[in-house]
Amino acid sequence: MVGFLRALDRKLLRDLWRLKGQGIAVGIIIACGVGIMIMALGSLASLEESRSTYYERYRFADVFADVKRAPNQIVGEIREIDGVKSAETRITRIVTLDLADFNEPANAQLVSLPDEGQPTLNNVMLHEGRWPDLARPEEAIVSRAFAQEHDYHSGDRIRAIFNGRTRDIEIVGIGDSPEYVWTLGIGGLLPDDKRFGVFWMRRQALERAFDLEGAFNNVTVSLLPNAVEADVISRLDNMLAPYGAVGAYNREDQFSNAFVESEMGQLVAMAAIIPPVFLVVSALLIHAILSRLIAVERQQIGLLKAFGFSNLEVAAHYVKLAVVLSLGGVLAGFVLGRTLARLLTHLYSNTMRFPEIVHVFEPSAFVIGAGAAIVAAVIGALNAALKAAALQPAEAMNPAPPTVYRRGGILPLWLTNKLDEPTRMIVRHITRWPIRAAMTTFGIAASMALLVGTLFAFDSTDEMIDTIYYRTDVYDAAVTFAEIEDETALSELDRVPGVLEVEPTRDVYVRFRNGVHSERGSITGIRSDAKYKRLLDRKETPVSVAESGLTMTSHLASLLNIGLGERLTVEFLEGKRPVLDIPITAVVEEYIGHAAYMNIEELGRVMGESRTITGAFLALDPDLSIEFNDAILDRPQVASVALRSAVIETFNETLEETITIMMMIYAVIGGAIAAGVVYNAARISLTERGRELASLRVLGFTHGEVSYVLLGEQAMLAIIAIPIGSLLGTAFAHLIVLGMSTDLYRVPYVLEPSTRGFAAAVVLVAVFLAAVLVANRIRNLDLIEVLKTRE
Amino acid sequence: MSQASVLAEAKSSAEILLDTQDLTKVYQTGEVEVHALRGINLTVQIGELIVLLGASGSGKSTLLNIIGGLDTPTSGKVTFLDEDITNLSASALTRYRRAHVGFIFQFYNLVPSLTARENVALVTEISSNPIPPEDALSMVGLADRMHHFPAQLSGGEQQRVAVARAIAKRPNLLLCDEPTGALDSKTGVQVLEALKTVNEELGATTLIITHNVGIADMSDRVIRLSDGMIIEEKQMGRRRQPSELSW
Ligand SMILES: Nc1ncnc2c1ncn2[C@@H]1O[C@H](COP(=O)(O)OP(=O)(O)O)[C@@H](O)[C@H]1O
Ligand SMILES: [Mg+2]
């Protein structure tokens, strides 16, 4: 095999073999960069593929609309709308569950199935069991995650509260649908499969239970390829307005789909932001390795040229070396990326209920990853290779002139004079090679920056949880009613055992319009002295909802391109459906969604309603929680109950695994950069200074003292790099905030000192490990051999 | 009293600094065994100046390296001031070198990033009773070059810095492996002058390897090695000044 290679290529292989330690260091860094790119792009492709197959096979609808009650016949008119391919009406409803095995409030989303056969849109994928029998109204298919969480199987019975009446539901099948990939729990951000399930039942059973015979309260529509979605939505809105429509919406606003898209958007951001850091560092390392190699091989290069090799051949030889060096990293990156992608999709299965997450082989991810890594390697090699090409043969065959050191350098003389000799050697070496030192510092700083810039996300998550569940939404339980109620419902709630205090809330669907900007949303009416639902201004100080006018989240204001004091048009989609001009009287900050608030009395007044409520925030007596949980289910008006403690618990449980795994991944790959940079720099130093260090050993310096001369430099640079990296990390975190913030939520920038400390500790451990590896090589320095040779 | 008789008198009552018994060294390079030393028995008195002669490959460096604690013998024993140093650990050998041995090689092995004074200070900082670096440099005639970096010094000057560095810690044993090998005769003489001064003023026992038979004339004893064995040992009557030596 070797026989077929040209001599120069054989030299290349030998060089690679000699450089294997450094090659591995660079390879690991390239592998991390390529791996993350492939993880992100590969997972993205997997999610996209899983999603599109699922949506297509199970005919996920394009447009969705809820109404109060509309007669079945109008479905014909809906199908007539230009661009509509098919339409299906349904009955949907949220109810509470009284689970024998679980004594906390739980809720179910009821969705009707046509009386015969399967839905034409949003079909159910049946994993187990059969479809419900029309003649047996108690039969239901339940969502798989909910069934798994409670270990329910076909034949099991569950009690639900339909309109205040207890109903026994019999599970006949376990299924899922594209509408509920992300089954958002009530009042939470994450799926809570213990407390929230989807139940599919025959339509007739639900018509009877909710007095909706001959009517529907939900319609979903699929569109023809050439349809104009916005037109269909506005036609639907007009058509359904008389029936209590609260605004049709598309997939973008469909909760489950929106969350899935938000995850996919974050993958794109990850692929775009993180891998470049690795590739830049790998280019720097390759530059350093080749520069050193060319210095060592100076005389060989002169000889090659004297033999008649062209400048181009010489340059190409070194570029080739860099490319071959990076190929190992690319291959390892492929493997790493595939593994990480599998890990990530496993984590996704915690929140996303696809029938399965298909692992697609995404060639473009591999091509982009390999391409980027090789380009980085070539760029890294270019400068050194050109220097090799530029060497004059006669000059090159003479040894390089000795390195000239200077006494002062950047440190003042009085300080240099205070140092012991080994430390002085370190300082002189750094100041003699400032660019190299700067590159090492930059590499370690990049590691720190990456760690800070990724680990901060956990502080942000903490901050979000802390703000939402400990500062703004501080109720113990949030209740929603099935229908719009008046204040008597409130006093009834007040009498439920365990309830200490009740605060009303009124949610009303609206469409906001400001010139060309329009958003479907809702206004939440709360009391100005609300204690359990609070608002925060820009400085995070609690503020109450304005007595008059709209209190708007800054996110909504920016979506509508409107500011404090300006007026906007609000089309109310409920009640008398007034269209009003309302001024914005306060702006508040929220991390999630795009809410708007009004004083609840003012809201009733402008809508021309008397004191209506759609839900309540409760303060509970912790000692009476069992009594509360029992009694709240019997309230006929209550559609859903969410306990704040449960939401927090879910958050922690769901994210615990994700956070632990991602922290570990980030720490390892972030540390890999620092380790690789230091290992590489120290190895280069060792080849240059082996003789110097050996002579120190001969003079009687111990292994530790000699290691200090070499590794103290790296330690010193690491110590300089950490604060720089910390600053860079802050900037990096801001970039990630931009990349990760979606329409659904805005990631706050929060960075705890402890996180910086952790990042610094990871960097120091990585530097230490790299130093230990090099220190072992120092131990093996052949003193006699070194001293025999001319310097 | 003549110098020679003083020395002879000193030697008769002198203590033994170093002693080797049946020292052998076998290098295993692949299939081939190289017997670098084949039973060396050598006793070195305190204060002696010994010149080691021999053809290239005769085992001189190997012997010096073992005596200096840079290498270990295959068999045999090395005793230094009544202590067996043959089987010392690597760190004990480091302590031995640090405390007792000064080396000078053909190539000067100065630290390029330190000035002449700092190169000497490197050693004085880790020894207990050193000569101040300035004095050590004066001793080799380089007081005025103290703040020069190695790259700014000639070969002979660099080697004299190496001598100053080797003797600044007041070593019991000064081992020089072809110290003038890379120098022309004039600068070589200056280095030898320095070595002789050190040997006389500090009483450091000195072993010098050389190819130059003439250097033997400045020593107390000349030992000739061939093929790993001592083939000739000669007590020198009178020491000549280095400047009188012929090259
Ligand atoms: N590290 C080594 N490995 C193998 N052989 C060696 C080694 N060092 C020295 N030798 C061999 O041992 C013999 C003696 O070498 P050396 O002591 O350097 O001789 P001198 O200094 O007298 O020229 C030579 O044949 C040399 O090739
Ligand atoms: Mg020799």
Side-chain angles (χ1 to χ4, degrees):
Chain A
M1 155 85 198
V2 172
F4 292 107
L5 292 171
R6 294 177 56 206
L8 208 52
D9 289 327
R10 241 176 284 168
K11 166 183 171 308
L12 189 140
L13 289 181
R14 303 240 163 84
D15 281 347
L16 277 172
W17 180 246
R18 265 194 306 117
L19 292 170
K20 58 188 179 298
Q22 284 159 270
I24 289 168
V26 178
I28 288 173
I29 289 174
I30 293 176
C32 287
V34 172
I36 288 173
M37 201 180 274
I38 284 171
M39 167 181 84
L41 295 179
S43 308
L44 182 68
S46 293
L47 283 186
E48 252 162 12
E49 178 65 22
S50 311
R51 185 175 73 149
S52 69
T53 330
Y54 195 24
Y55 282 7
E56 209 171 293
R57 280 243 204 92
Y58 289 85
R59 297 182 298 276
F60 185 46
D62 295 306
V63 174
F64 309 76
D66 290 309
V67 295
K68 236 173 122 53
R69 178 197 182 100
N72 281 340
Q73 343 28 306
I74 68 162
V75 70
E77 279 174 63
I78 296 174
R79 292 196 176 116
E80 296 290 286
I81 297 176
D82 240 11
V84 169
K85 185 164 137 204
S86 65
E88 188 167 49
T89 63
R90 303 187 297 188
I91 292 169
T92 62
R93 191 85 167 196
I94 289 175
V95 295
T96 52
L97 300 174
D98 185 4
L99 302 176
D101 61 322
F102 189 67
N103 46 27
E104 274 181 47
N107 301 284
Q109 169 75 57
L110 304 181
V111 179
S112 73
L113 298 169
D115 282 341
E116 266 171 60
Q118 303 178 9
T120 52
L121 294 175
N122 308 307
N123 196 10
V124 176
M125 179 189 199
L126 199 60
H127 301 298
E128 164 189 329
R130 60 170 172 83
W131 294 83
D133 188 343
L134 182 61
R136 300 175 56 85
E138 72 278 16
E139 292 185 348
I141 297 171
V142 308
S143 51
R144 179 158 66 177
F146 175 78
Q148 278 171 347
E149 199 66 49
H150 291 277
D151 200 21
Y152 290 147
H153 296 282
S154 299
D156 286 344
R157 289 178 161 267
I158 298 173
R159 287 167 107 196
I161 320 294
F162 283 27
N163 260 351
R165 285 188 300 274
T166 304
R167 293 274 295 255
D168 266 346
I169 290 177
E170 188 185 337
I171 300 173
V172 295
I174 310 283
D176 272 315
S177 112
E179 228 181 334
Y180 296 101
V181 172
W182 190 289
T183 49
L184 197 64
I186 304 278
L189 297 170
L190 291 170
D192 181 355
D193 299 310
K194 233 184 274 173
R195 299 178 183 80
F196 185 78
V198 184
F199 291 18
W200 288 270
M201 299 177 76
R202 288 296 177 192
R203 175 144 174 183
Q204 198 181 64
L206 297 183
E207 277 178 359
R208 289 184 184 156
F210 298 106
D211 300 323
L212 284 166
E213 276 110 338
F216 65 90
N217 67 3
N218 170 277
V219 59
T220 64
V221 166
S222 70
L223 301 178
L224 291 167
N226 59 348
V228 182
E229 198 180 70
D231 291 352
V232 175
I233 287 177
S234 72
R235 287 287 307 280
L236 258 184
D237 280 347
N238 288 336
M239 195 178 290
L240 295 175
Y243 309 107
V246 293
Y249 53 93
N250 60 8
R251 285 184 178 182
E252 237 173 78
D253 286 336
Q254 200 267 347
F255 256 127
S256 160
N257 185 61
F259 272 92
V260 173
E261 292 219 318
S262 151
E263 288 290 331
M264 302 204 305
Q266 300 195 345
L267 285 176
V268 173
M270 190 191 277
I273 299 174
I274 298 178
V277 177
F278 288 90
L279 297 182
V280 167
V281 172
S282 72
L284 288 180
L285 292 196
I286 286 176
H287 170 81
I289 292 173
L290 284 197
S291 300
R292 174 61 197 157
L293 187 64
I294 285 165
V296 170
E297 295 186 343
R298 195 184 144 89
Q299 285 165 326
Q300 288 181 40
I301 294 168
L303 211 62
L304 284 176
K305 288 192 172 178
F307 288 164
F309 281 90
S310 72
N311 290 348
L312 189 67
E313 279 169 313
V314 169
H317 171 70
Y318 288 101
V319 171
K320 210 192 253 174
L321 188 101
V323 170
V324 175
L325 201 66
S326 68
L327 282 182
V330 169
L331 288 182
F334 285 176
V335 176
L336 180 71
R338 292 284 285 167
T339 315
L340 289 178
R342 271 166 201 281
L343 193 64
L344 198 63
T345 41
H346 160 72
L347 291 178
Y348 280 148
S349 66
N350 282 345
T351 48
M352 290 186 227
R353 309 306 178 180
F354 286 107
E356 61 169 336
I357 295 183
V358 217
H359 292 280
V360 292
F361 176 77
E362 179 53 40
S364 71
F366 289 83
V367 171
I368 295 172
I374 290 170
V375 167
V378 170
I379 292 174
L382 221 48
N383 176 280
L386 290 180
K387 259 190 207 146
L391 278 177
Q392 292 302 316
E395 182 198 327
M397 280 189 292
N398 290 325
T403 307
V404 179
Y405 286 88
R406 281 180 307 126
R407 290 181 71 202
I410 48 166
L411 288 190
L413 212 52
W414 63 264
L415 184 59
T416 338
N417 287 343
K418 280 208 166 57
L419 302 173
D420 60 11
E421 307 312 324
T423 309
R424 198 172 305 185
M425 287 168 73
I426 292 174
V427 172
R428 293 240 171 93
H429 203 256
I430 291 176
T431 51
R432 178 61 188 82
W433 307 105
I435 294 176
R436 194 195 288 181
M439 282 187 181
T440 303
T441 310
F442 173 80
I444 302 171
S447 162
M448 177 73 186
L450 191 74
L451 283 164
V452 169
T454 47
L455 296 175
F456 98 98
F458 304 112
D459 289 343
S460 291
T461 310
D462 274 353
E463 166 73 9
M464 273 167 90
I465 301 298
D466 195 60
T467 306
I468 299 173
Y469 297 111
Y470 294 93
R471 300 196 62 204
T472 61
D473 297 30
V474 289
Y475 49 80
D476 293 318
V479 168
T480 65
F481 298 126
E483 307 284 342
I484 294 169
E485 299 286 340
D486 59 23
E487 297 236 318
T488 53
L490 212 57
S491 40
E492 277 181 43
L493 275 183
D494 212 3
R495 286 198 295 276
V496 171
V499 173
L500 297 176
E501 239 179 307
V502 194
E503 261 175 29
T505 166
R506 166 71 164 114
D507 265 317
V508 53
Y509 284 102
V510 298
R511 182 170 286 282
F512 299 106
R513 285 190 198 284
N514 175 39
V516 294
H517 303 280
S518 154
E519 282 292 326
R520 179 179 172 273
S522 68
I523 297 176
T524 303
I526 53 174
R527 284 181 183 158
S528 286
D529 61 353
K531 275 199 294 196
Y532 300 109
K533 169 74 202 178
R534 293 184 303 196
L535 305 173
L536 300 178
D537 70 8
R538 198 172 285 275
K539 293 191 199 92
E540 298 205 358
T541 349
V543 291
S544 25
V545 68
E547 294 282 349
S548 68
L550 263 180
T551 297
M552 185 174 273
T553 52
S554 61
H555 185 57
L556 180 57
S558 76
L559 286 177
L560 291 167
N561 193 24
I562 202 166
L564 189 66
E566 294 180 67
R567 302 179 79 88
L568 85 168
T569 308
V570 181
E571 295 173 22
F572 288 88
L573 301 175
E574 293 181 34
K576 303 191 176 91
R577 304 176 76 91
V579 178
L580 302 169
D581 251 20
I582 303 181
I584 296 169
T585 45
V587 174
V588 293
E589 296 295 326
E590 279 184 5
Y591 295 131
I592 292 165
H594 52 263
Y597 298 91
M598 277 182 83
N599 175 291
I600 190 165
E601 266 113 48
E602 175 77 355
L603 180 61
R605 201 185 56 72
V606 301
M607 287 183 71
E609 287 179 350
S610 58
R611 310 203 153 219
T612 51
I613 59 173
T614 54
F617 300 119
L618 311 180
L620 302 178
D621 182 344
D623 296 335
L624 293 176
S625 65
I626 293 170
E627 286 82 348
F628 170 79
N629 292 346
D630 275 349
I632 192 69
L633 292 177
D634 296 336
R635 310 313 312 159
Q637 313 93 327
V638 172
S640 74
V641 183
L643 296 181
R644 188 177 57 122
S645 57
V647 171
I648 296 170
E649 180 195 312
T650 305
F651 215 105
N652 292 336
E653 273 176 10
T654 312
L655 288 187
E656 189 175 68
E657 189 190 19
T658 307
I659 289 184
T660 318
I661 291 181
M662 292 315 281
M663 278 267 222
M664 264 160 51
I665 292 178
Y666 287 144
V668 169
I669 63 178
I673 291 191
V677 166
V678 166
Y679 179 78
N680 196 57
R683 282 298 302 275
I684 288 178
S685 241
L686 185 57
T687 63
E688 283 173 346
R689 306 172 72 185
R691 166 182 212 90
E692 195 177 319
L693 301 181
S695 43
L696 291 184
R697 290 285 280 134
V698 171
L699 291 176
F701 279 74
T702 63
H703 172 247
E705 287 164 340
V706 170
S707 299
Y708 168 73
V709 171
L710 187 73
L711 300 172
E713 176 176 337
Q714 312 304 327
M716 213 176 266
L717 295 179
I719 285 163
I720 298 170
I722 282 174
I724 297 174
S726 189
L727 279 178
L728 285 178
T730 307
F732 201 57
H734 277 106
L735 198 64
I736 296 209
V737 162
L738 281 182
M740 296 283 176
S741 290
T742 63
D743 230 24
L744 278 181
Y745 46 85
R746 286 150 300 286
V747 179
Y749 166 77
V750 180
L751 193 49
E752 297 292 335
S754 61
T755 302
R756 282 188 208 274
F758 177 73
V762 170
V763 169
L764 289 176
V765 168
V767 168
F768 177 77
L769 291 179
V772 168
L773 281 178
V774 179
N776 267 328
R777 297 203 149 249
I778 296 175
R779 193 185 297 281
N780 296 332
L781 272 183
D782 186 339
L783 306 186
I784 299 164
E785 193 56 42
V786 169
L787 298 171
K788 262 201 275 199
T789 52
R790 177 174 279 282
E791 42 207 284
Chain B
M1 220 188 289
S2 77
Q3 203 176 21
S5 64
V6 171
L7 274 171
E9 198 175 317
K11 234 175 264 176
S12 62
S13 62
E15 291 164 49
I16 294 167
L17 179 75
L18 187 112
D19 181 62
T20 72
Q21 284 172 32
D22 300 326
L23 215 53
T24 74
K25 177 74 183 179
V26 182
Y27 288 112
Q28 191 81 42
T29 34
E31 304 282 277
V32 196
E33 282 191 349
V34 178
H35 291 262
L37 298 179
R38 306 168 186 262
I40 300 283
N41 292 295
L42 173 67
T43 305
V44 179
Q45 315 283 337
I46 287 175
E48 244 187 318
L49 196 159
I50 299 179
V51 163
L52 285 173
L53 298 176
S56 176
S58 57
K60 307 180 295 290
S61 297
T62 305
L63 176 61
L64 215 66
N65 290 342
I66 291 174
I67 289 174
L70 285 178
D71 206 351
T72 47
T74 308
S75 70
K77 192 171 160 189
V78 183
T79 315
F80 180 85
L81 289 176
D82 292 333
E83 194 190 336
D84 185 356
I85 63 160
T86 324
N87 296 310
L88 289 185
S89 67
S91 60
L93 281 179
T94 302
R95 281 197 299 277
Y96 163 66
R97 289 199 300 273
R98 191 171 180 142
H100 304 293
V101 189
F103 281 100
I104 294 156
F105 297 94
Q106 176 176 1
F107 308 113
Y108 333 115
N109 292 311
L110 298 179
V111 175
S113 59
L114 295 180
T115 62
R117 197 200 67 83
E118 289 161 352
N119 260 287
V120 180
L122 198 58
V123 173
T124 58
E125 275 170 11
I126 60 166
S127 38
S128 51
N129 178 29
I131 306 170
E134 294 76 11
D135 297 357
L137 283 167
S138 302
M139 216 178 274
V140 297
L142 281 177
D144 55 337
R145 294 303 184 89
M146 210 133 68
H147 297 305
H148 286 58
F149 283 97
Q152 299 165 318
L153 297 171
S154 73
E157 287 167 336
Q158 288 190 53
Q159 189 64 304
R160 274 142 70 200
V161 175
V163 173
R165 184 175 70 175
I167 54 96
K169 64 176 168 195
R170 302 182 198 277
N172 305 69
L173 191 55
L174 186 59
L175 303 176
C176 316
D177 193 342
E178 302 190 29
T180 59
L183 302 173
D184 60 53
S185 74
K186 188 164 164 275
T187 42
V189 167
Q190 287 172 340
V191 170
L192 292 176
E193 296 265 16
L195 286 176
K196 185 166 173 292
T197 314
V198 165
N199 173 250
E200 282 168 2
E201 289 188 10
L202 300 177
T205 308
T206 306
L207 270 74
I208 304 175
I209 293 180
T210 183
H211 283 299
N212 190 317
V213 188
I215 297 178
D217 290 349
M218 66 178 261
S219 68
D220 297 318
R221 184 150 55 124
V222 173
I223 293 171
R224 187 178 293 274
L225 264 72
S226 174
D227 200 15
M229 290 179 290
I230 296 178
I231 54 162
E232 188 188 339
E233 238 189 294
K234 196 158 87 186
Q235 290 290 338
M236 303 302 281
R238 188 186 76 91
R239 278 211 245 169
R240 278 164 60 188
Q241 295 300 315
S243 49
E244 298 170 42
L245 299 181
S246 61
W247 288 70

